[in-house]
Amino acid sequence: MGSVQIVATILAAAITAVAVGLAVRAVMKMVAVIRLGQPAPERFTDKGARAKTMLVETAGHTRMLKWSVVGAAHWFVMVAFVVLSLLVLEAYFEVVTPGGGLPIIGHWMIFGLATEIIGVLGFAGIVVLMAIRLRNRPTRPGGRSRFTGSTMWQGYFVEWVVLLVLIFGFLIRGFKVATDQFEYPVWATPISHAIGNALPGWEAGVSVAALIKIVISMTWLIVISLNVTMGVAWHRFLAFFNIFFKREPAKPAGSGLGALRPMMSDGKPLDFEEADPEKDQFGVAQVEQFSWKGLLDFSTCTECGRCQSQCPAWNTGKPLSPKLLVLSLRDHAYAKAPYLLAGGGKDLTGEEKATAAQLAHVDVLALAEAEKPLIGTAEEGGVIDPDVLWSCTTCGACVEQCPVDIEHVDHIVDMRRYQVLIESSFPSEAGVMLRNLENKGNPWGAPQNTREDWTKGLDFEVPRVGEVDDFEYLFWVGCAGAFEDRAKKTTRAVATLLNEAGVKFAILGEGETCSGDPARRIGNEFVFQMLAQQNVETLNEAFEGREKAKRKIVATCPHCFNTLGNEYGQLGGEFEVVHHTQLLAHLVSTGKLTPVQPVDGGVTYHDPCYLGRHNRVFAAPREVLGDAIAGELTEMPRNSERSFCCGAGGARMWMEEKIGKRINVDRVEEAMATGAKTVAVGCPFCSTMLSDGVNGKGAGEQVEVIDVASVLLRAVKPETAPGEQQATPVAG
């Protein structure tokens, strides 16, 4: 061992010891912060499915590859990071002796070939990612960047470290070639040999290059260890755990949330009949009241901004960015952590839990952070501004796009729950809707005895549960379908088509009440459960004696479809729920409905968030429309899983949109740009929002917004289309 090798070995050992020590301390701090969260025992079930999902999503890059170029480049960089970590380990042997290498595998030809290929592809991948980051930098002219709000120096730092480690890996090999100490042939390692042919035969070059590679790698480890909130680096380790502990591991990647997470207290669903606000947690009022999985979510965020780029609120000038919300919660949690770890915190009555002695040595900045309200304006020092919280439409685009399975919507609704149930703080106009739900059983406040008025004028009898027992489907009409004029046309069209196809169905009529979706999404879990339990009892009675497979419900509203099918199971209601487009597609494919006159003028389809993204129903409405128009749909640029929200979800239907551009107008402009004369929808909320948008653009005479069922009815019964007739208006 020469003098160069001795010095290089000492330096490598010293910086490695410092880096490892700091990394251990950082990991311990991270674990301690995450453990501050509330219990979530359901995250430990079904370990086999969790392991499989984690491997598929990470190794297969199923989320990342939805953006093909970025996904492919990131996959090569990920593989390079994992595999070429072995070459960082090998550098320690090369520091000691220029001819050194990994024991056993270091001399295998396949190892040399594999690392050469991975090194080249990793180099290309990181260059592509660096170019994409530069092209989308927040300071570039025009448009909002998905990196707006991200800590850009951290991204640049990580990318340059990866690039330099790859470069010095090839330099080490080059110096080995130049000094005849390289064991792999030219055909297996052509790049290394080409570099070696251009380098001088400097014996110490291998050890010096290896030392620099180690210093770069350990500097990276030191920097991220001193910055535990550096998600752009830490996600390389945390993503595996975050994906493993995702809410529903059995669902395929990007399958949407569907059901909301129940309201939890101490790791168990809250029972309102026994709940006590002084003992039980009602939503989230402090960052430590999120579950430990929530705190892991915040720590894992990569700051990539995919969620931000897809968010309808962010894209229309609202203050909500799912990314920035998560980053704010992350930074707040870690800033507050010294206070919490010292035993500090408020109990459910607002009293301090720690003694003065416990808090005596806590940093003043942590104490100041602890005084910040979780929800509050800038003047109040709040972590999350109320306008941010109430801008969310719960469309799920953020969850759909997140490559590390962060559950933004659940966290937003948990914060809403506390604001609504304990603080009674929410947009004032939504109060009318909540009062109507409590007093009238529907958000419009319409009289319950008018729920069946939509049936007037039909040329057939609509059967009711209780009057007939022999029905295959219970037709869940929904509040919009019963009371809102535009939605009543859809209800009549569906009933007409079911009757035409000979499907035996029945309605609940006045026995039906609101599914509770708007109450739950706004955060009023109490009203949701009140309505849901009433409906579950009614439905169980209607299906008494039937097994689940024969407890069939067809719904025209995706919000009802989602609530009945995905959330009523939490309250003892197990049903087979289909959306009307799914049933209509089946009836057409089996020949029970036959379009006889294609609808012309061009048709584009708007995917409702709660039908498409949340429940993966993309094909059925397109099949129905394809049959009705006897041709291809004109798709909007943002469709299917990337469909743009209409703006009505998350109870936004009953809140004024006062900030930025109206979401429905943005969507309508995209629809009109296709040139289609008909915008087909599969949701009454979407119908209202897009119709208002079209009228607002002054295009009501040129563009029509109607439900998929109405389009099909025109093709099946063009001479009458009774479902299109206006039902008698109902007084609100």
Side-chain angles (χ1 to χ4, degrees):
M1 182 186 292
S3 58
V4 171
Q5 284 74 36
I6 292 172
V7 172
T9 300
I10 293 171
L11 292 174
I15 194 170
T16 300
V18 171
V20 171
L22 290 173
V24 170
R25 187 184 72 172
V27 169
M28 291 175 65
K29 179 178 180 179
M30 235 178 235
V31 170
V33 170
I34 291 168
R35 291 183 67 183
L36 289 168
Q38 300 303 302
E42 74 280 3
R43 304 287 180 168
F44 294 93
T45 60
D46 211 358
K47 292 183 176 65
R50 292 183 180 280
K52 179 181 177 182
T53 297
M54 184 267 290
L55 291 171
V56 168
E57 286 198 30
T58 52
H61 254 41
T62 49
R63 292 290 186 95
M64 290 295 297
L65 286 170
K66 290 180 179 179
W67 294 25
S68 54
V69 174
V70 178
H74 190 276
W75 188 84
F76 290 133
V77 172
M78 180 197 73
V79 173
F81 177 82
V82 174
V83 176
L84 299 186
S85 295
L86 292 172
L87 297 187
V88 175
L89 177 61
E90 187 175 52
Y92 287 91
F93 293 93
E94 293 161 337
V95 160
V96 176
T97 174
L102 285 175
I104 305 176
I105 66 171
H107 300 285
W108 291 358
M109 194 76 66
I110 189 67
F111 179 73
L113 174 63
T115 50
E116 183 88 353
I117 294 171
I118 292 169
V120 171
L121 294 176
F123 183 88
I126 197 63
V127 168
V128 168
L129 293 182
M130 292 173 79
I132 290 172
R133 185 178 294 273
L134 286 170
R135 189 183 66 197
N136 290 282
R137 65 192 183 281
T139 55
R140 82 197 197 288
R144 284 187 167 191
S145 166
R146 65 185 176 96
F147 292 117
T148 298
S150 297
T151 315
M152 294 301 287
W153 75 262
Q154 295 180 354
Y156 292 135
F157 171 75
V158 168
E159 288 166 348
W160 273 103
V161 164
V162 173
L163 184 67
L164 290 172
V165 166
L166 289 167
I167 288 172
F168 277 91
F170 279 112
L171 283 175
I172 292 170
R173 288 186 161 193
F175 278 118
K176 281 188 171 183
V177 171
T179 54
D180 294 324
Q181 298 183 84
F182 197 51
E183 57 266 72
Y184 308 121
V186 176
W187 68 264
T189 53
I191 304 299
S192 298
H193 278 273
I195 293 172
N197 292 335
L199 292 175
W202 182 27
E203 189 77 19
V206 175
S207 296
V208 171
L211 173 63
I212 295 173
K213 182 176 181 178
I214 291 170
V215 168
I216 293 170
S217 300
M218 292 304 107
T219 299
W220 175 80
L221 189 56
I222 290 169
V223 170
I224 73 167
S225 298
L226 295 174
N227 293 273
V228 290
T229 58
M230 194 171 174
V232 70
W234 282 106
H235 84 274
R236 296 170 182 225
F237 311 107
L238 297 178
F240 297 100
F241 299 99
N242 211 49
I243 295 170
F244 181 87
F245 290 114
K246 69 186 292 187
R247 180 140 70 82
E248 297 187 66
K251 280 189 173 183
S255 57
L257 280 177
L260 274 175
R261 187 169 178 262
M263 195 163 163
M264 309 291 282
S265 180
D266 196 30
K268 292 175 279 193
L270 190 68
D271 183 350
F272 276 97
E273 293 184 2
E274 301 178 1
D276 181 352
E278 294 189 1
K279 297 178 181 178
D280 295 300
Q281 183 178 314
F282 279 58
V284 168
Q286 304 289 335
V287 72
E288 65 271 21
Q289 292 178 347
F290 286 106
S291 72
W292 64 260
K293 173 57 169 64
L295 296 177
L296 178 59
D297 271 0
F298 308 153
S299 302
T300 308
C301 179
T302 72
E303 304 189 25
C304 67
R306 286 189 177 206
C307 58
Q308 182 171 287
S309 73
Q310 302 297 302
C311 176
W314 177 259
N315 277 286
T316 53
K318 314 292 189 292
L320 169 64
S321 156
K323 178 188 71 178
L324 298 181
L325 179 138
V326 165
L327 298 188
S328 296
L329 293 170
R330 178 198 69 188
D331 293 345
H332 173 60
Y334 281 89
K336 188 178 179 180
Y339 159 78
L340 295 171
L341 293 170
K346 301 288 196 299
D347 63 21
L348 294 172
T349 63
E351 296 297 316
E352 176 60 59
K353 293 187 289 187
T355 64
Q358 286 177 297
L359 301 179
H361 302 291
V362 175
D363 183 82
V364 65
L365 294 177
L367 292 173
E369 194 73 26
E371 293 303 314
K372 290 184 177 181
L374 190 65
I375 306 299
T377 62
E379 292 76 17
E380 296 166 335
V383 178
I384 304 297
D385 191 278
D387 284 335
V388 169
L389 186 68
W390 297 109
S391 290
C392 179
T393 67
T394 68
C395 72
C398 49
V399 181
E400 175 76 36
Q401 290 298 326
C402 181
V404 294
D405 279 305
I406 293 172
E407 297 160 6
H408 315 72
V409 173
D410 283 339
H411 305 320
I412 288 171
V413 173
D414 271 339
M415 290 186 283
R416 285 183 172 187
R417 284 165 168 165
Y418 181 82
Q419 293 300 304
V420 172
L421 294 170
I422 302 299
E423 297 292 336
S424 295
S425 177
F426 51 88
S428 58
E429 60 270 22
V432 176
M433 176 268 291
L434 290 173
R435 286 193 296 273
N436 284 336
L437 287 177
E438 288 191 76
N439 299 326
K440 298 289 188 177
N442 68 85
W444 283 276
Q448 185 70 357
N449 60 9
T450 62
R451 269 198 180 267
E452 299 178 37
D453 282 4
W454 64 269
T455 64
K456 295 177 180 177
L458 292 175
D459 57 5
F460 58 92
E461 189 71 23
V462 177
R464 289 149 188 81
V465 173
E467 297 176 3
V468 293
D469 296 322
D470 184 23
F471 62 90
E472 183 181 4
Y473 286 94
L474 188 151
F475 181 13
W476 183 271
V477 176
C479 299
F483 302 122
E484 204 274 326
D485 287 340
R486 279 170 288 209
K488 282 190 281 188
K489 294 180 182 180
T490 301
T491 308
R492 292 161 64 83
V494 171
T496 301
L497 289 166
L498 295 182
N499 181 69
E500 181 76 11
V503 175
K504 294 181 179 179
F505 70 97
I507 62 172
L508 289 172
E510 294 182 29
E512 185 183 302
T513 191
C514 180
S515 68
D517 165 85
R520 185 167 232 198
R521 266 69 196 171
I522 203 174
N524 198 324
E525 186 73 5
F526 177 78
V527 170
F528 164 73
Q529 291 204 18
M530 177 186 73
L531 295 167
Q533 286 170 353
Q534 179 181 336
N535 281 325
V536 166
E537 185 178 336
T538 300
L539 290 168
N540 283 340
E541 183 179 338
F543 288 121
E544 189 174 2
R546 298 193 191 190
E547 59 189 50
K548 181 182 177 181
K550 294 183 179 179
R551 296 157 68 93
K552 297 180 181 180
I553 299 174
V554 56
T556 58
C557 175
H559 297 263
C560 296
F561 164 68
N562 179 68
T563 303
L564 271 63
N566 294 325
E567 298 184 337
Y568 276 17
Q570 300 169 2
L571 300 169
E574 296 290 337
F575 313 109
E576 289 291 330
V577 187
V578 298
H579 188 250
H580 71 283
T581 58
Q582 293 175 298
L583 181 54
L584 294 179
H586 170 72
L587 295 175
V588 172
S589 67
T590 55
K592 293 182 179 178
L593 289 174
T594 304
V596 295
Q597 181 175 311
V599 176
D600 56 15
V603 177
T604 190
Y605 173 65
H606 163 78
D607 288 273
C609 301
Y610 274 80
L611 181 63
R613 200 158 29 235
H614 278 289
N615 286 285
R616 315 308 292 172
V617 179
F618 300 122
R622 286 175 168 79
E623 290 169 4
V624 173
L625 292 171
D627 288 322
I629 66 176
E632 294 292 323
L633 281 176
T634 305
E635 292 280 12
M636 286 183 259
R638 294 177 292 192
N639 64 76
S640 302
E641 65 188 23
R642 291 200 195 181
S643 179
F644 197 70
C645 182
C646 74
R652 289 292 322 174
M653 180 82 170
W654 291 273
M655 296 182 232
E656 288 297 322
E657 197 169 344
K658 302 173 183 176
I659 305 173
K661 184 179 182 180
R662 293 183 68 87
I663 294 172
N664 62 330
V665 171
D666 191 295
R667 185 56 164 170
V668 160
E669 288 174 352
E670 184 175 6
M672 290 173 61
T674 65
K677 300 303 180 187
T678 300
V679 180
V681 297
C683 171
F685 291 0
C686 296
S687 177
T688 297
M689 297 300 284
L690 298 188
S691 293
D692 289 350
V694 167
N695 292 332
K697 299 292 290 184
E701 298 297 320
Q702 295 81 42
V703 178
E704 183 182 24
V705 179
I706 58 171
D707 191 87
V708 171
S710 295
V711 177
L712 179 61
L713 184 60
R714 290 179 183 181
V716 171
K717 300 185 71 174
E719 72 288 352
T720 55
E724 289 290 281
Q725 296 171 4
Q726 177 67 51
T728 305
V730 176

